[in-house]
Coordinates of all heavy atoms in Angstrom, one line a residue:
V2 N 3.1 -14.3 -10.5 CA 2.7 -13.0 -10.1 C 3.8 -12.5 -9.3 O 4.3 -13.2 -8.4 CB 1.4 -12.9 -9.4 CG1 1.1 -11.6 -8.8 CG2 0.2 -13.4 -10.3
Q3 N 4.1 -11.3 -9.4 CA 5.2 -10.5 -8.4 C 4.7 -9.1 -8.2 O 4.2 -8.4 -9.0 CB 6.5 -10.5 -9.2 CG 7.3 -11.6 -9.1 CD 8.8 -11.4 -9.3 OE1 9.2 -10.9 -10.4 NE2 9.7 -11.9 -8.5
L4 N 4.8 -8.8 -7.0 CA 4.5 -7.3 -6.5 C 5.8 -6.9 -5.8 O 6.3 -7.5 -4.9 CB 3.3 -7.4 -5.6 CG 1.9 -7.8 -6.1 CD1 1.0 -7.8 -4.9 CD2 1.4 -7.1 -7.2
V5 N 6.3 -5.8 -6.2 CA 7.6 -5.3 -5.8 C 7.3 -3.8 -5.3 O 7.1 -3.0 -6.0 CB 8.7 -5.3 -6.7 CG1 10.0 -4.9 -6.2 CG2 9.0 -6.7 -7.2
E6 N 7.5 -3.6 -4.0 CA 7.4 -2.4 -3.3 C 8.7 -1.6 -3.3 O 9.7 -2.2 -3.2 CB 6.9 -2.4 -1.9 CG 5.5 -3.1 -1.7 CD 5.8 -4.5 -1.3 OE1 6.8 -5.2 -1.7 OE2 4.8 -5.1 -0.6
S7 N 8.5 -0.2 -3.3 CA 9.8 0.6 -3.2 C 9.2 2.1 -2.8 O 8.0 2.2 -2.8 CB 10.3 0.9 -4.7 OG 9.6 1.3 -5.6
L20 N 5.0 5.5 -1.8 CA 5.4 4.2 -2.1 C 4.9 3.8 -3.5 O 3.8 4.2 -3.9 CB 4.9 3.3 -1.0 CG 5.1 3.8 0.4 CD1 4.5 2.7 1.3 CD2 6.6 3.9 0.7
S21 N 5.6 2.8 -4.1 CA 5.2 2.2 -5.3 C 5.1 0.8 -5.2 O 5.9 0.3 -4.4 CB 6.2 2.6 -6.5 OG 6.4 4.1 -6.7
C22 N 4.1 0.2 -6.0 CA 4.0 -1.3 -6.1 C 4.0 -1.6 -7.4 O 2.8 -1.5 -8.1 CB 2.7 -1.7 -5.3 SG 2.4 -3.5 -5.3
A23 N 5.0 -2.2 -8.1 CA 5.1 -2.6 -9.3 C 4.7 -4.0 -9.5 O 5.1 -4.9 -8.9 CB 6.5 -2.5 -10.0
A24 N 3.6 -4.2 -10.3 CA 3.1 -5.6 -10.5 C 3.3 -6.2 -11.8 O 3.6 -5.6 -12.8 CB 1.5 -5.5 -10.3
S25 N 3.5 -7.6 -11.8 CA 3.8 -8.3 -13.1 C 2.9 -9.6 -12.9 O 2.9 -10.2 -11.8 CB 5.2 -8.5 -13.3 OG 5.7 -9.3 -12.2
G26 N 2.4 -10.1 -14.0 CA 1.7 -11.3 -14.0 C 0.2 -11.1 -13.5 O -0.6 -12.1 -13.3
I27 N -0.2 -9.9 -13.1 CA -1.6 -9.6 -12.7 C -2.0 -8.3 -13.2 O -1.2 -7.3 -13.1 CB -1.8 -9.7 -11.2 CG1 -3.2 -9.6 -10.7 CG2 -0.8 -8.8 -10.6 CD1 -3.3 -10.0 -9.3
L29 N -3.4 -5.0 -12.9 CA -4.0 -4.1 -11.8 C -5.3 -3.3 -12.2 O -6.0 -2.9 -11.3 CB -3.0 -3.0 -11.2 CG -1.7 -3.7 -10.6 CD1 -0.8 -2.7 -10.0 CD2 -2.2 -4.7 -9.6
I34 N -6.4 -3.9 -5.4 CA -5.1 -3.6 -5.0 C -5.1 -2.7 -3.8 O -5.9 -2.0 -3.7 CB -4.3 -2.9 -6.2 CG1 -2.8 -2.7 -5.7 CG2 -4.8 -1.7 -6.5 CD1 -1.9 -3.8 -5.8
W36 N -2.9 -1.6 0.2 CA -1.7 -1.5 1.0 C -2.2 -2.0 2.5 O -3.1 -1.4 3.1 CB -1.1 -0.2 1.2 CG -0.6 0.2 -0.2 CD1 -1.1 0.8 -1.2 CD2 0.8 0.0 -0.6 NE1 -0.4 1.1 -2.3 CE2 0.9 0.6 -1.9 CE3 2.0 -0.4 -0.1 CZ2 2.1 0.7 -2.6 CZ3 3.2 -0.3 -0.7 CH2 3.3 0.1 -2.0
R75 N 1.3 1.6 -16.5 CA 2.5 1.1 -15.9 C 2.2 -0.2 -14.9 O 3.2 -0.7 -14.4 CB 3.1 2.1 -15.0 CG 3.5 3.5 -15.7 CD 4.2 4.4 -14.9 NE 4.5 5.6 -15.5 CZ 5.6 5.9 -16.2 NH1 6.6 5.0 -16.1 NH2 5.8 7.0 -16.7
N76 N 1.1 -0.4 -14.8 CA 0.6 -1.8 -13.9 C 1.2 -1.4 -12.5 O 1.9 -2.4 -11.9 CB 1.1 -3.0 -14.6 CG 0.1 -4.0 -14.0 OD1 -1.0 -3.8 -14.0 ND2 0.7 -5.3 -13.8
T77 N 1.2 -0.4 -12.0 CA 1.8 0.1 -10.8 C 0.8 0.8 -9.8 O 0.0 1.5 -10.4 CB 3.0 1.0 -11.0 OG1 4.0 0.2 -11.7 CG2 3.6 1.4 -9.7
A78 N 0.7 0.5 -8.7 CA -0.1 1.2 -7.5 C 0.8 2.1 -6.7 O 2.1 1.9 -6.7 CB -0.8 0.1 -6.7
Y79 N 0.2 3.1 -6.2 CA 1.0 4.0 -5.3 C 0.4 4.4 -4.1 O -0.9 4.2 -3.9 CB 1.1 5.4 -6.2 CG 1.9 5.3 -7.5 CD1 1.0 5.2 -8.6 CD2 3.3 5.2 -7.6 CE1 1.7 5.0 -9.9 CE2 3.8 5.0 -8.8 CZ 3.0 4.8 -9.9 OH 3.7 4.8 -11.0
C95 N 2.2 -4.3 -0.2 CA 1.1 -4.1 -1.1 C 0.5 -5.6 -1.4 O 1.3 -6.6 -1.2 CB 1.3 -3.4 -2.5 SG 2.4 -4.3 -3.5
G108 N 3.5 -8.4 -1.8 CA 4.8 -8.0 -2.0 C 5.5 -8.4 -0.7 O 5.0 -8.7 0.3

Side-chain angles (χ1 to χ4, degrees):
V2 176
Q3 276 194 315
L4 301 175
V5 180
E6 302 96 334
S7 61
L20 306 183
S21 300
C22 175
S25 59
I27 185 169
L29 294 190
I34 179 78
W36 293 88
R75 296 179 185 272
N76 214 35
T77 299
Y79 303 96
C95 69

